Amino acid sequence: MKGTSGTPDTPRGPGTSVATDTIDVLVVDDDFMVARVHRTFVERVEPFRVVGVANTGEQAAHAVDELHPDLVLLDLYLPDVFGLDVIPRLRTSGHDCDVMVISAAREADTVRGAVRHGVVDYLLKPFEFEDLRARLERYAVQRGRLLATVVHGQADVDRVLAGATVPASAAGTLPKGMSVETAELIERTLRTAEGTLSAAECATLAGISRVSARRYLEHFHTVGSADVTLRYGAAGRPERRYRFQG
């Protein structure tokens, strides 16, 4: 399987050294340029790395056989099969990789079908980098929790099934590059605010950059610690406003 650069991606073999926290991703999209954009987005998020790109359902099945990714970003409108039909084939072949749908398909039946097939998320096209990053970071947190879970009783099972989160400021739940101190600063700023805050307002109150503030705010939203509402102005994109839950 070749990546968008035209050079083969290196499959993991017995002698391949791979970081234990790396999450390997296969990008599946029928549009070469879109696949390239998705690959670029994924590789900007730690600890994800793209190990291959496929443009058809048949290529996707062979790529999973060869590369054994942890996560498949799956388009649904493929030239040879409907994307959801790839998932049973992977399961029949014994692959337990997770699947995140990335598609323009908005039909309720399609979304319900994706849920029945056990996808971990469903992201509508078109989207921005921040939208995908939030979902990847949420997936990484949930995956880490599942891998570390020891079931002592029903409460542990319930947390796994519900995807319950621990406080976002806990070090173990923060994506790489985030600090507990800054997370706690943003949390305090949100908790003490009257009403909602935009990323720019939060940055001013906390004394950090707007880019940093938005990243922490989006992380809080991803793990369920903050609500987001949209404020529409006369022109341009709506403003995202945040409120801490709890």
Side-chain angles (χ1 to χ4, degrees), residues 1 25-26 31 34-35 91 112 128 130 142 158 183 223 229 238:
M1 178 59 55
V25 179
L26 173 69
D31 188 308
V34 171
R91 302 301 179 234
R112 285 193 291 267
E128 298 182 1
E130 291 294 339
Q142 292 172 341
D158 292 342
V223 300
T229 56

Side-chain angles (χ1 to χ4, degrees), residues 2-45:
K2 292 182 180 296
T4 54
S5 63
T7 57
D9 291 298
T10 303
R12 290 177 293 174
T16 304
S17 176
V18 179
T20 56
D21 61 347
T22 299
I23 300 176
D24 289 344
V25 179
L26 173 69
V27 174
V28 182
D29 198 288
D30 69 317
D31 188 308
F32 291 92
M33 294 303 297
V34 171
R36 179 177 297 176
V37 171
H38 292 178
R39 177 176 193 151
T40 301
F41 281 178
V42 171
E43 291 183 336
R44 290 171 60 186
V45 184

Side-chain angles (χ1 to χ4, degrees), residues 20-205:
T20 56
D21 61 347
T22 299
I23 300 176
D24 289 344
V25 179
L26 173 69
V27 174
V28 182
D29 198 288
D30 69 317
D31 188 308
F32 291 92
M33 294 303 297
V34 171
R36 179 177 297 176
V37 171
H38 292 178
R39 177 176 193 151
T40 301
F41 281 178
V42 171
E43 291 183 336
R44 290 171 60 186
V45 184
E46 293 288 347
F48 296 86
R49 70 168 184 174
V50 176
V51 294
V53 174
N55 307 117
T56 69
E58 189 68 21
Q59 289 179 6
H62 287 304
V64 172
D65 284 337
E66 179 184 359
L67 302 171
H68 302 284
D70 302 302
L71 176 66
V72 177
L73 301 189
L74 181 65
D75 184 22
L76 297 186
Y77 295 136
L78 300 175
D80 54 343
V81 297
F82 189 58
L84 291 182
D85 294 334
V86 175
I87 301 176
R89 177 172 175 178
L90 299 181
R91 302 301 179 234
T92 300
S93 299
H95 299 296
D96 62 354
C97 53
D98 292 316
V99 176
M100 181 183 299
V101 169
I102 296 183
S103 176
R106 288 171 163 77
E107 299 83 0
D109 286 345
T110 300
V111 176
R112 285 193 291 267
V115 172
R116 285 194 295 269
H117 280 86
V119 303
V120 297
D121 214 326
Y122 195 114
L123 178 59
L124 287 173
K125 298 178 180 177
F127 58 88
E128 298 182 1
F129 167 65
E130 291 294 339
D131 298 317
L132 179 59
R133 177 165 73 176
R135 283 162 174 76
L136 290 176
E137 289 179 345
R138 177 169 60 197
Y139 168 75
V141 170
Q142 292 172 341
R143 182 174 185 270
R145 186 182 304 116
L146 285 171
L147 292 176
T149 294
V150 177
V151 177
H152 296 293
Q154 185 63 48
D156 298 314
V157 175
D158 292 342
R159 277 193 293 271
V160 171
L161 292 179
T165 59
V166 295
S169 57
T173 69
L174 290 175
K176 190 172 181 180
M178 289 189 180
S179 71
V180 174
E181 293 77 15
T182 304
E184 291 175 345
L185 172 62
I186 297 298
E187 179 179 332
R188 286 196 303 271
T189 303
L190 271 186
R191 284 185 181 278
T192 57
E194 294 184 4
T196 62
L197 291 178
S198 67
E201 292 167 346
C202 184
T204 299
L205 291 171

